Amino acid sequence: MKLSALTIRRGSDIPPEPAVLLMSGAHGTPPPPSGLKLTEELVSRTAILALDGEFDLYTAPEVERAVDVILRRVPRRLVVDLSRVSFLNSAGLEVLVACHRRAGSRTDLRIVAATRSTWRPLQIVRLHETLIIHTSRAAAVAAPVLGPPRTLSP
């Protein structure tokens, strides 16, 4: 975050006074709110990435970086737990699709969507037909590994 002060000068005998304190993030935009907490857990060869908060345009890059780090370790299964996500939009859905593609046949991807705020967006864009979605973390971890992963059309 970058802080800068704007000062106004009125003459040599009057000292400058701050008029506005500007706060800006990258490219002059307001800094994104820290609306998402990520937690990673490893159970045997299953990596669990739990999200808590809003999964949107501001937080999607952070989730994407976390998923990349996890997939580089090539776990047998990756569970993305959205059960504590209060808001999911298209940016978050895009990260889930990219995660599905990157996981490929090496990593079995499972999604936990236990609330309407996560299940409904997945259903609207019909990702529930491609992604394997569970209503609890325990079910996602315990489920047997199926055949080759389903693919998304380009």
Side-chain angles (χ1 to χ4, degrees):
M1 182 184 328
K2 181 179 162 187
L3 297 175
S4 61
L6 175 66
T7 58
I8 300 173
R9 295 191 185 268
R10 295 188 189 150
S12 60
D13 58 334
I14 302 173
E17 66 182 75
V20 179
L21 181 63
L22 302 171
M23 296 176 61
S24 64
H27 308 293
T29 60
S34 58
L36 187 68
K37 179 182 173 191
L38 300 175
T39 308
E40 184 186 350
E41 184 180 342
L42 191 61
V43 177
S44 185
R45 291 196 58 210
T46 299
I48 302 168
L49 180 63
L51 286 65
D52 185 354
E54 296 181 355
F55 190 9
D56 58 12
L57 180 65
Y58 290 115
T59 57
E62 183 180 355
V63 176
E64 194 163 23
R65 282 190 296 275
V67 166
D68 283 341
V69 169
I70 292 169
L71 288 178
R72 275 191 234 127
R73 293 186 296 229
V74 192
R76 180 66 198 118
R77 175 173 289 169
L78 170 58
V79 175
V80 179
D81 186 352
L82 305 176
S83 59
R84 299 195 56 142
V85 169
S86 58
F87 178 75
L88 174 63
N89 73 0
S90 60
L93 294 172
E94 185 178 335
V95 170
L96 294 176
V97 169
C99 178
H100 173 73
R101 286 192 175 129
R102 272 185 257 133
S105 61
R106 299 172 305 163
T107 301
D108 181 33
L109 175 67
R110 303 294 172 113
I111 308 295
V112 177
T115 63
R116 182 174 171 84
S117 62
T118 55
W119 173 250
R120 189 68 181 137
L122 290 164
Q123 190 178 32
I124 288 171
V125 297
R126 300 178 68 162
L127 283 177
H128 68 290
E129 296 174 0
T130 305
L131 301 175
I132 301 172
I133 302 172
H134 296 275
T135 56
S136 74
R137 182 188 295 193
V141 171
V145 175
L146 301 175
R150 295 176 275 185
T151 58
L152 293 171
S153 305

